[in-house]
Amino acid sequence: GNTFRTLYTPTDTLTFDEIVENRLKNSYLKGEITLTRNVKERYLRNKLKFNTHWDKQSGNLSKHDVSIDQQLDNPFYDFSNRLNLVQPIGDKLIRFNSRLQYDQSPQQLKVSPGQFEELISGNEDYDFTKQNMNLQRFNADHSFSFSSRIKRWSINPEIGFQYNQQWFDSKLFIQTDDIATVAGEQFNNSIDGSRTRTYANTELAYRRGNFTLTTDLPLSYLNISIEDTDKEKEQKIDRFVFDPRMFARYRFRGFWEMRGSYSFRNRFGNMEDVYYGYIFKNHRTMQMNDAPLSQSQNHNLTASIRYRNPIKSLFASAGYSYNIRNSNLLYTNLVLDNGATILEAIEEPNTSYSHNAHARVSKFFSPIRSTITIGGTYSRNERKQLVNNEVFDATNHVYLLAPQLNVKITEWLNTEYKGNFMFYDTYHGNKKLNSVSMLKHYLNVYIFHASNQFFAIKGEYYQYDKEDNYFIDLQYRYTITEHRIDIDVRWINILNHSSYRDYYVGAFSLIENYYVLRPSQFVVSARFSF
């Protein structure tokens, strides 16, 4: 397909058209063993899982009459064990939870011809770039808690310990005329990181009639250590953290309910987000995070009201949330003339704000056996952006309207309609950059001919930028009940629609993806359990 990108810089608007052809090969093996014991004396559940996949991806794209090839080997190995134990002692329930996990992700990315020549090779052309990268992580999380009740109060204390260890290394090579050289120390990483968290949380709940008040009082001690021995860089965090949360609910007049909450959260970035050398993400993105670990403080306030009347089959709700996020890092985007982006993090305190308002009404009309639902959402996000060394205020407005209609025509025939109307507006300061509208309609017909048979007709209609897209699928499922086997027969893309478009709206970008679809296809699958 094609990718059309529009990038808004403080001094210019850049547009790019890339012709894309990707080939993805996904291979995976998963397994799970679960042991459960549920008796009066105790409840025990242990789940051992492994998940491995070895994916290969290749892609070719044409941009400004230049052909770029990408190849990615992306294997992943994950092993985990989770234990849950509940032991009643007197009138208390004692809980013990334990989780152990190890994963590894060695990757190799090759891009030709070489990209980011100004940054990597002093504007000298070279044949291709190859990056080897490996991330290993070990995680352990153990907690102990119990429940107690004193009159109108419920008390749930919990203590726990978390430990995370990671090893990350990467190296970048460039090759010219069959001669491979290391790109430079600024493109290598060799990072060890550890994170420990010891915590104690007390949940207090007070209930009196229709009023409920719940408070979480988590206190934790956090230790984070990150070190790159090759670059002789390190950082440490030792801190007590307090993240309180309060929630209140009040029911009145039978069907009405009011809710409100406030929370304060300290957030710390993931250790794998810190790397003192550049990381080659893809042909258009080079990224470095030679900065302190990201830290933020989040204030979140919510309020809502609900009406639930099952007698009249009428349900309604409305709510509002407000979030303030104070962060220590600002990400700078250097947009090059060819559309490539160098992303770095700098230590610059900044604050972002978000507002979200929503409402929803649902009513069942028994004479026509139909449920009509309509919902809407408005959100506004404000934050600072740093593009090409200039700071500006970026604001995104999102409007969503979502009607829905469910009709039960007979006991064996149901229909469903859903609509999704989304509108995006992006501003830099007081300047409006773009407006994007996306309209989606879904119409489904479900036929339950027999208890072990199911037939569905699914229709979809999309409209992006005044371009129409129609899709119809058929599905038939037959269940062999005594053997717990489902046989699915599907006819996909009956109308043989050849393309599809969607949009992504960012703080300073508008990306339109044009996909070339597979032709109409017929698929048979079987699913069984034992």
Side-chain angles (χ1 to χ4, degrees):
N2 287 65
T3 298
F4 306 94
R5 294 192 301 143
T6 303
L7 304 179
Y8 304 96
T9 71
T11 58
D12 201 1
T13 299
L14 307 176
T15 59
F16 303 93
D17 181 7
E18 298 177 349
I19 301 173
V20 181
E21 181 180 351
N22 294 323
R23 298 180 183 274
L24 314 177
K25 181 180 179 181
N26 302 319
S27 306
Y28 65 88
L29 177 66
K30 300 180 180 181
E32 177 180 310
I33 300 174
T34 302
L35 172 65
T36 303
R37 178 172 174 79
N38 190 5
V39 295
K40 184 177 181 179
E41 292 78 16
R42 71 181 55 86
Y43 170 80
L44 183 145
R45 181 180 178 88
N46 192 87
K47 182 179 291 187
L48 176 66
K49 297 175 62 176
F50 69 88
N51 176 18
T52 64
H53 60 77
W54 46 102
D55 301 342
K56 292 183 179 293
Q57 304 175 13
S58 63
N60 176 271
L61 61 95
S62 299
K63 180 175 64 173
H64 304 305
D65 298 325
V66 176
S67 178
I68 300 175
D69 291 305
Q70 296 187 102
Q71 296 180 17
L72 174 66
D73 289 341
N74 186 29
F76 178 78
Y77 313 96
D78 177 84
F79 303 90
S80 66
N81 189 83
R82 183 184 293 269
L83 170 66
N84 303 105
L85 175 65
V86 181
Q87 178 77 46
I89 299 179
D91 60 347
K92 296 180 177 59
L93 285 178
I94 310 299
R95 301 182 184 88
F96 176 74
N97 296 309
S98 173
R99 181 177 66 89
L100 299 172
Q101 181 181 16
Y102 172 80
D103 62 64
Q104 181 181 9
S105 178
Q107 299 180 0
Q108 184 180 91
L109 174 65
K110 180 180 177 182
V111 179
S112 60
Q115 303 295 301
F116 297 95
E117 298 93 333
E118 181 178 352
L119 180 66
I120 298 177
S121 60
N123 283 323
E124 294 291 332
D125 293 336
Y126 58 95
D127 294 337
F128 65 81
T129 306
K130 183 175 71 172
Q131 179 178 260
N132 294 331
M133 188 169 66
N134 188 26
L135 174 64
Q136 300 179 70
R137 295 178 297 188
F138 172 76
N139 302 310
D141 188 355
H142 309 294
S143 65
F144 172 83
S145 64
F146 69 90
S147 301
S148 181
R149 190 177 184 90
I150 304 175
K151 295 183 179 180
R152 301 182 188 276
W153 290 89
S154 296
I155 305 175
N156 300 290
E158 180 184 19
I159 58 174
F161 176 78
Q162 295 176 344
Y163 175 76
N164 311 99
Q165 180 75 41
Q166 75 155 39
W167 304 268
F168 173 70
D169 59 80
S170 69
K171 185 166 289 188
L172 191 69
F173 301 87
I174 60 175
Q175 181 157 331
T176 304
D177 298 330
D178 297 328
I179 300 176
T181 58
V182 179
E185 185 62 30
Q186 70 269 34
F187 301 97
N188 297 340
N189 290 280
S190 180
I191 298 176
D192 289 343
S194 65
R195 177 183 185 272
T196 60
R197 175 176 175 256
T198 305
Y199 61 93
N201 179 34
T202 301
E203 180 187 281
L204 298 174
Y206 174 78
R207 296 175 178 86
R208 183 182 178 91
N210 294 327
F211 176 73
T212 301
L213 176 65
T214 304
T215 303
D216 286 329
L217 303 172
L219 178 65
S220 59
Y221 175 72
L222 187 68
N223 177 275
I224 300 176
S225 176
I226 302 174
E227 183 180 14
D228 189 324
T229 53
D230 293 345
K231 294 183 172 58
E232 298 182 347
K233 291 190 175 185
E234 65 176 352
Q235 55 179 296
K236 296 180 182 294
I237 295 177
D238 287 284
R239 184 174 304 173
F240 282 98
V241 178
F242 183 55
D243 297 322
R245 176 183 178 269
M246 180 178 292
F247 169 79
R249 180 178 63 190
Y250 178 61
R251 295 176 179 174
F252 60 100
R253 294 186 180 181
F255 304 121
W256 291 90
E257 179 180 283
M258 294 181 64
R259 295 186 175 193
S261 69
Y262 167 77
S263 64
F264 175 79
R265 290 287 186 268
N266 291 277
R267 290 289 180 260
F268 298 86
N270 296 319
M271 291 184 293
E272 55 261 34
D273 293 335
V274 175
Y275 30 87
Y276 300 105
Y278 283 101
I279 296 294
F280 197 33
K281 294 289 186 177
N282 52 50
H283 74 282
R284 66 163 76 106
T285 306
M286 184 74 77
Q287 188 168 322
M288 180 174 65
N289 193 359
D290 185 0
L293 190 70
S294 66
Q295 303 177 40
S296 64
Q297 294 79 41
N298 296 269
H299 300 266
N300 185 262
L301 181 68
T302 68
S304 65
I305 186 169
R306 300 182 179 186
Y307 177 80
R308 300 175 61 85
N309 189 335
I311 300 174
K312 295 184 178 180
S313 300
L314 177 62
F315 305 89
S317 64
Y320 169 77
S321 65
Y322 178 53
N323 182 271
I324 302 175
R325 181 176 184 268
N326 299 307
S327 178
N328 67 323
L329 297 184
L330 187 63
Y331 292 90
T332 171
N333 300 268
L334 179 61
V335 181
L336 307 181
D337 291 338
N338 62 356
T341 301
I342 300 175
L343 178 65
E344 298 181 0
I346 62 173
E347 193 170 6
E348 178 69 32
N350 61 94
T351 303
S352 61
Y353 307 88
S354 65
H355 307 259
N356 184 282
H358 62 88
R360 188 175 187 270
V361 179
S362 177
K363 170 67 176 173
F364 175 70
F365 297 90
S366 56
I368 57 175
R369 295 197 288 188
S370 302
T371 301
I372 299 177
T373 305
I374 185 166
T377 301
Y378 166 73
S379 64
R380 173 190 173 101
N381 299 291
E382 307 170 35
R383 60 192 179 279
K384 289 188 178 298
Q385 289 287 332
L386 180 56
V387 179
N388 288 4
N389 298 317
E390 292 195 29
V391 179
F392 58 87
D393 294 320
T395 305
N396 290 92
H397 300 260
V398 181
Y399 308 85
L400 170 65
L401 182 65
Q404 183 174 337
L405 174 64
N406 297 80
V407 181
K408 188 175 183 179
I409 300 175
T410 68
E411 292 298 325
W412 52 269
L413 179 61
N414 296 342
T415 61
E416 176 186 60
Y417 163 79
K418 292 182 180 179
N420 197 311
F421 311 104
M422 300 188 71
F423 306 91
Y424 297 86
D425 292 333
T426 303
Y427 291 82
H428 281 185
N430 295 322
K431 180 183 177 182
K432 188 175 185 179
L433 293 182
N434 59 60
S435 292
V436 176
S437 63
M438 292 183 281
L439 310 180
K440 301 180 181 181
H441 301 269
Y442 307 87
L443 181 60
N444 302 323
V445 178
Y446 303 107
I447 301 173
F448 304 90
H449 178 67
S451 60
N452 65 335
Q453 297 184 55
F454 169 74
F455 184 78
I457 306 172
K458 300 180 179 181
E460 302 177 7
Y461 164 71
Y462 304 95
Q463 186 185 78
Y464 296 126
D465 197 24
K466 299 181 180 180
E467 179 169 327
D468 299 327
N469 298 269
Y470 301 91
F471 301 94
I472 296 179
D473 300 334
L474 294 180
Q475 179 185 5
Y476 173 74
R477 178 182 299 160
Y478 181 81
T479 301
I480 305 175
T481 309
E482 59 271 21
H483 299 295
R484 295 190 293 180
I485 298 175
D486 290 334
I487 299 175
D488 263 348
V489 180
R490 291 180 293 162
W491 186 5
I492 302 173
N493 193 11
I494 294 175
L495 300 180
N496 203 27
H497 205 76
S498 60
S499 64
Y500 171 77
R501 293 178 185 266
D502 71 1
Y503 289 85
Y504 167 77
V505 181
F508 63 94
S509 63
L510 173 62
I511 300 175
E512 176 187 352
N513 293 306
Y514 173 84
Y515 300 96
V516 176
L517 300 180
R518 285 185 175 186
S520 179
Q521 50 191 318
F522 192 72
V523 180
V524 179
S525 62
R527 179 180 302 168
F528 63 92
S529 60
F530 58 89

